[in-house]
Amino acid sequence: MEQTLLKINHLHKKFGEQVILDDFNLEVKKGEVIVIIGPSGCGKSTLLRCLNALEDIQGGEILLDGLPIRKNAKDISSMRQKIGMVFQSYDLFPHKTILENILLAPLKVQKKNRSEVEKEAMELLARVGLADRCNDYPRQLSGGQKQRIAIVRALIMHPEILLLDEITAALDPEMVHEVLEVVLALARNQSTMLIVTHEMAFAKAIADRVLFLEHGKIVEESREPKSFFTKPQTERAQQFLHSFEY
């Protein structure tokens, strides 16, 4: 039986009086790649931020390995180490080299041995084709290169699940492919991922399951992504996909 890694029960999130996620339920199996799509403001990015306890929730629960994730919990730091997150804005420290950016969390937070983590960092950099840039600074890299570094920085913490929030949104079109290739490789290695994206061709290629959100609810869910993208079952999903060429 497939292991349930993440479980969301009756999640309720609002900003002021505006409801963002309304009685949201989801189970994520280990090794599963779930792509979340939907119109702007439907709650996609907020959902990911709730999963990493970057946002308070007003109801329901989020369980990782059966344990609750709460923003103010005493063990939230250790829980966050199990949930890696990559944003569209990279968030690299400009005054530190690429290698220093990657080593910071495993050395300071996880208290790992420097020589061991540095060896792993170089191996990961080689996997994304950037080992030769380890001593450069973020300003010397392209947007696509910086996003690959952000992914490496998340991976070196050995998260159980990886959250990717519109990681190609700030990139020029020619840089998108190099980032998506890295994510496709992670999927082939059976990494567990929740991916928010507007790259429909990429979503079709990588997803084990597709969630279409609107108004904080799952309007359509498909375990056959290719069928979803060619013939969605709901009229709203049909309207949404019609606006894309892929």
Side-chain angles (χ1 to χ4, degrees), residues 4 17 21 41 57 64 75 83 94 116 128 147 151 168 184 205 220 228 234:
T4 297
E17 296 303 313
L21 296 166
I57 61 174
L64 179 66
D75 63 345
I83 306 178
E116 291 178 2
V128 301
Q147 196 58 284
I151 293 172
T168 61
L184 282 166
E220 185 168 341
F228 171 81
T234 62

Side-chain angles (χ1 to χ4, degrees), residues 22-184:
D22 187 11
D23 195 26
F24 192 95
N25 297 278
L26 179 66
E27 287 191 16
V28 180
K29 303 295 185 182
K30 186 175 182 179
E32 189 174 23
V33 178
I34 297 178
V35 171
I36 304 168
I37 64 173
S40 297
C42 70
K44 305 183 299 293
S45 293
T46 300
L47 172 63
L48 296 194
R49 292 177 63 84
C50 288
L51 299 184
N52 208 20
L54 295 175
E55 295 285 352
D56 288 315
I57 61 174
Q58 283 70 53
E61 63 178 0
I62 301 167
L63 303 173
L64 179 66
D65 294 324
L67 300 175
I69 299 173
R70 300 189 187 95
K71 187 174 181 180
N72 297 318
K74 292 182 178 179
D75 63 345
I76 190 58
S77 178
S78 61
M79 292 295 286
R80 280 185 175 142
Q81 293 175 45
K82 298 179 181 180
I83 306 178
M85 189 159 184
V86 182
F87 303 89
Q88 60 177 278
S89 56
Y90 326 131
D91 293 328
L92 300 175
F93 291 105
H95 62 289
K96 293 184 178 293
T97 66
I98 297 309
L99 186 58
E100 288 170 340
N101 266 280
I102 296 169
L103 297 182
L104 187 62
L107 292 181
K108 298 292 186 182
V109 178
Q110 295 181 329
K111 309 297 183 184
K112 288 187 174 180
N113 176 274
R114 184 180 181 91
S115 62
E116 291 178 2
V117 75
E118 189 169 321
K119 179 176 181 290
E120 184 181 4
M122 293 305 299
E123 291 171 352
L124 286 170
L125 283 171
R127 278 176 57 186
V128 301
L130 291 171
D132 61 333
R133 307 304 296 271
C134 64
N135 293 318
D136 288 348
Y137 289 86
R139 66 178 180 276
Q140 297 173 274
L141 272 58
S142 69
Q145 290 170 330
K146 284 186 277 192
Q147 196 58 284
R148 281 184 278 164
I149 296 302
I151 293 172
V152 168
R153 183 181 55 185
L155 290 177
I156 203 165
M157 300 294 284
H158 296 278
E160 294 186 25
I161 186 167
L162 193 59
L163 312 177
L164 306 176
D165 187 15
E166 294 283 15
I167 59 172
T168 61
L171 301 180
D172 293 333
E174 64 268 23
M175 297 177 185
V176 170
H177 178 74
E178 63 189 46
V179 174
L180 298 186
E181 280 297 315
V182 172
V183 181
L184 282 166

Side-chain angles (χ1 to χ4, degrees), residues 1-14:
M1 182 179 293
E2 293 178 311
Q3 176 188 348
T4 297
L5 184 61
L6 182 74
K7 193 169 185 179
I8 306 169
N9 296 322
H10 306 292
L11 180 62
H12 186 73
K13 169 65 184 173
K14 63 180 183 178

